[in-house]
Amino acid sequence: MNYRHAYHAGNFADVVKHVVLSRLVEYLKQKDKAFRVIDTHAGIGRYDLSSTEAQKTGEWQGGIGRLIDAPLDAKAAALLAPYLDVVRSLNPQGGPEGGVKKYPGSPLIARQLMRKQDRLSAVELHQDDAAKLKTLFAGDFQTRVIELDGWLALGAHLPPKEKRGLVLIDPPFEEEGEFGRLVDGLQRAHKRWPGGIYALWYPVKNRKAVIAFRKALKQSGIPKLLDIDFEIKPASAEPGLDGSGMVVVNPPFTLEGELRIVLPVLHRLLVVEKPADWRMEWLSGEAA
């Protein structure tokens, strides 16, 4: 698996991650007070789905390509609208195979949904990607692009001065031990800013590693943890990306109900092979 996100932009995992992100940002907007989004592994912010990388895998066709023009019931359509409106804003003329040629990364989605009083910190370690991100947000005083290891940002940039907001932690999983870094990084960050919302993305590929990760989170002492598991195919002898997950710390009271409306819709559209399903579980707090 090539971990450069240009190969995977707009795939099923991106869709689920970005739907959750959009719902969290929309919740934060319910109060007038400013908030900050900190994206610790921001990438380049915008992806060309006609590029050599995207065309090589075609993963977006099984993700945003299936969703963008799909008929939706009224409730799901309303909840998905903020996310889909951002995608459509990049594709005013449509595009090949599904009406999409450009796809927004998480920092661009967050930024497009923000109000004038809100702020974005987009953190990216890789020099070339950080340079592209700086070009994308050039002249935008609401956005700060920081060339830094995202794990260090969890210490150096918390808590934000706004005291409200969201930290998105979406590592590339290109090195061993990334699950352990997620748990350690979250524990350190939560001690510095216990009132913040955190959203952690992880791949469902190595099932034993995922089970150990969830167990470690349960034992972390963090009081409110909601785990979202979205699988599109069953485990097989050949390891692959069978699904993805999101762990949300301090989830808004609205989130679980919203996801129980949209996740079944997304799963029907994006599932590849059965048996595969989605689920939500409180690892701590609420109904855990």
Side-chain angles (χ1 to χ4, degrees):
M1 182 176 178
N2 190 306
Y3 291 93
R4 300 300 290 173
H5 198 67
Y7 289 89
H8 313 295
N11 69 0
F12 79 92
D14 256 6
V15 168
V16 176
K17 173 176 63 183
H18 292 151
V19 167
V20 174
L21 171 64
S22 69
R23 296 317 310 163
L24 293 173
V25 173
E26 289 298 296
Y27 173 80
L28 287 166
K29 288 160 63 177
Q30 291 181 15
K31 291 184 179 180
D32 291 336
K33 191 176 178 183
F35 63 83
R36 182 174 295 268
V37 174
I38 300 172
D39 190 337
T40 64
H41 298 77
I44 64 174
R46 183 173 59 202
Y47 299 88
D48 182 357
L49 299 182
S50 65
S51 69
T52 301
E53 295 89 347
Q55 290 294 317
K56 184 174 182 180
T57 63
E59 288 185 17
W60 64 273
Q61 295 179 39
I64 189 60
R66 293 187 182 184
L67 174 60
I68 192 68
D69 294 321
L72 302 169
D73 66 73
K75 287 184 178 180
L79 293 170
L80 291 169
Y83 160 63
L84 290 177
D85 286 349
V86 174
V87 177
R88 291 186 179 116
S89 73
L90 300 186
N91 298 276
Q93 305 302 320
E97 302 179 56
V100 188
K101 185 177 180 181
K102 303 286 186 183
Y103 187 79
S106 51
L108 188 55
I109 290 172
R111 178 63 186 91
Q112 294 278 70
L113 295 177
M114 284 178 176
R115 307 159 302 179
K116 63 181 180 180
Q117 65 265 45
D118 306 319
R119 298 293 183 269
L120 169 66
S121 295
V123 183
E124 176 54 49
L125 174 62
H126 295 286
Q127 186 176 26
D128 290 346
D129 290 356
K132 291 179 181 178
L133 201 59
K134 288 176 181 177
T135 300
L136 179 64
F137 290 112
D140 181 357
F141 73 92
Q142 289 181 242
T143 299
R144 182 185 177 195
V145 176
I146 306 161
E147 189 176 330
L148 180 70
D149 185 337
W151 299 113
L152 297 178
L154 293 175
H157 294 275
L158 294 180
K161 65 179 182 179
E162 293 84 1
K163 299 296 190 291
R164 294 184 69 230
L166 162 67
V167 180
L168 176 64
I169 308 173
D170 176 21
F173 280 83
E174 59 190 0
E175 299 178 9
E176 291 293 325
E178 211 77 298
F179 279 114
R181 276 188 285 275
L182 266 179
V183 177
D184 293 343
L186 176 61
Q187 286 180 306
R188 291 196 310 273
H190 188 264
K191 286 179 181 178
R192 293 181 63 92
W193 190 31
I197 299 172
Y198 298 83
L200 290 69
W201 181 88
Y202 64 90
V204 177
K205 189 175 180 183
N206 181 332
R207 304 294 177 115
K208 289 183 178 179
V210 170
I211 291 170
F213 171 60
R214 291 175 179 148
K215 183 178 179 181
L217 287 172
K218 288 181 179 181
Q219 297 172 346
S220 67
I222 296 171
K224 291 185 179 180
L225 289 164
L226 179 64
D227 180 41
I228 302 145
D229 178 21
F230 191 95
E231 298 181 15
I232 59 167
K233 57 184 178 180
S236 63
E238 289 293 323
L241 190 65
D242 303 328
S244 68
M246 292 284 286
V247 174
V248 183
V249 180
N250 296 324
F253 72 95
T254 54
L255 184 66
E256 184 177 7
E258 291 177 347
L259 294 182
R260 291 199 182 280
I261 293 171
V262 300
L263 289 180
V265 173
L266 293 178
H267 199 264
R268 284 195 296 271
L269 290 170
L270 304 181
V271 68
V272 171
E273 180 184 347
K274 297 181 179 180
D277 211 342
W278 67 272
R279 64 173 183 81
M280 280 191 290
E281 177 188 357
W282 285 94
L283 301 180
S284 65
E286 299 297 324

